[in-house]
Amino acid sequence: MKSTIRQDDRSETGVMAGGDRWVAGLEEAIDAALRALRRNPSGSPAIHQVRVAVPYMDPLDWLRAQPETQRLFWCGRDESDARAAVGIALDVRLGEGDPYQVIRRTLTPLLRDADPGVRFFGGMRFDLDRDAAAEWEGFGAGRFVLPRFVLEPAEAGSTLVCNLVVPADLDQPAAICQQAARLAEPLASQYALPVPIARQDVPVHDAWAATIDRAIQRFASGALEKVVLARRSRFTFAERLDATLLLQRLQAATPHCFHFLFQFDADAQFLGASPERLYQREGRRIRSEAVAGTRPRGASQERDAELKRELLHSDKDRREQAFVRDNIEEALRALCVDVRVDDEPRLMELAKGRHLCTLIEGSLADSAGDADILERLHPTPAVGGVPLGEAMQDIRAGEGFDRGWYAGPVGWIGRDRAEFAVGIRSGQVSPRALTLYAGAGIVRGSEAEKEWAEIEHKISDFLTVLGLDLRDVKY
């Protein structure tokens, strides 16, 4: 069960009780750690953590209160894995060329001797061969950041972690302590999210239908077996939209999903509630999921059971899901000494929908690292297509926009563990706009109207928390 802040943990002004004390304790611990590190300097870059126990704070409440423009949030399917963070201690930008080599040459050596609790959070573009559009420039081809401050759950209360990078941080104790002093800002009060006043889709309905028809013709010729085509739906507002409040409401409405937010500057934030795990690594064990095929939940038990049977026995959906399963299995067999694949797909049950899902597990070879896993797995046919090269050509030609980090891998890398979700069911928040991205897998037997409706269903979680009925928004 999710913990809550007790009434006596808050002051009348909404500031956490004891905030001055724990901030002072954190500053003292940072100063003491830096003095000790200066006495015993290390020749090579290293990461050190300062950890201080604090009263329980809801991670997204705390994040909303922070004045920093560099913020992030990650929570796996288990809420005990939630991490909220502000500031950047180390910024690893993947840049042009081979982004996976940057992970191998920079992140892997840094993590080799790091505390097991150290995590680099980040993600990558869906299409690494395409130039970023203006709205995605700040995200780059990919970025992994070591946050300056991280709020973590603890058995009793919370833990505030300060990440120090030496030798770079040895000469700036005052600046780091200044940042720490702002961490006890008043907790944000609840308020209503604004309602969108306009909507614009790219591509529009008729262009979307024509793109689907062209894909179906290519299936008939044998040039293509599956392509995932996405839409961008931009909603504008008369007032500012708070991304952290939106995510907080979205998290409550979408249990059992991966929830994330990445903000690298004041103007753009990428957030989402993805049901799809790309992979989870625990030591040398790896787990992935092949997810595809979609049905909404029914309004009654009878209708829900009917939709469940329909998905389980749909030839079109099972073929679509099999493409993903076979691709992930092939990728993991190239990285693992053994691989186990479920015989039959199971149902992934969500609050408002369900998918076909196959669990795939293995033991990684000693030579395989997170860069190798990402390079092999991304993009899966769940977000790209089969064959991949042909599908990417159709995506670039037919969508008319830059996916950016949508459908790319998002998550974190640590020394002994890592976890990534596929960045679907996601959107980008700018001050007065929310741009949502969602796609549908197109295979032989697909129908344009049904695929359009599927995408409407996939963005409905966002619109529901905004208090909006899809029928109320003009296209």
Side-chain angles (χ1 to χ4, degrees), residues 59 90 222 224 327 387:
L90 191 59
L224 194 64
N327 177 269

Side-chain angles (χ1 to χ4, degrees), residues 283-407:
R284 305 310 297 166
R285 293 295 300 172
I286 185 170
R287 172 181 297 178
S288 184
E289 296 167 354
V291 179
T294 302
R295 288 294 186 283
R297 301 301 298 265
S300 66
Q301 285 187 351
E302 292 78 9
R303 179 57 177 156
D304 198 53
E306 180 184 346
L307 289 166
K308 178 179 179 178
R309 288 192 299 271
E310 183 181 301
L311 178 58
L312 280 171
H313 299 291
S314 165
D315 176 68
K316 178 254 183 189
D317 289 287
R318 289 179 74 96
R319 281 188 290 109
E320 181 185 344
Q321 196 266 345
F323 285 132
V324 185
R325 179 201 64 211
D326 293 347
N327 177 269
I328 294 175
E329 179 183 358
E330 180 182 358
L332 291 190
R333 288 199 183 280
L335 297 168
C336 294
V337 294
D338 69 79
V339 172
R340 188 188 71 79
V341 184
D342 283 351
D343 293 331
E344 285 290 320
R346 63 186 73 179
L347 285 175
M348 176 184 285
E349 304 277 7
L350 303 172
K352 295 177 67 175
R354 53 168 57 92
H355 306 284
L356 295 174
C357 175
T358 299
L359 181 63
I360 305 168
E361 298 178 293
S363 296
L364 290 164
D366 290 342
S367 59
D370 290 294
D372 306 296
I373 301 168
L374 289 168
E375 188 171 16
R376 285 278 184 176
L377 288 180
H378 174 66
T380 73
V383 292
V386 179
L388 181 59
E390 294 287 336
M392 294 297 281
Q393 290 179 20
D394 278 40
I395 290 168
R396 292 169 188 143
E399 289 183 349
F401 60 89
D402 177 17
R403 289 190 181 189
W405 280 26
Y406 160 69

Side-chain angles (χ1 to χ4, degrees), residues 3 51-54 56 80 82-83 151-160:
S3 302
R51 309 176 72 89
V52 174
V54 298
Y56 174 78
S80 66
R83 301 288 190 277
L151 183 69
E152 298 181 354
E155 286 189 10
S158 301
T159 300
L160 257 175

Side-chain angles (χ1 to χ4, degrees), residues 121-140:
F121 297 86
M124 299 170 64
R125 287 176 58 77
F126 166 75
D127 188 350
L128 292 167
D129 294 326
R130 179 173 180 163
D131 292 335
E135 65 266 26
W136 288 105
E137 285 181 354
F139 292 83

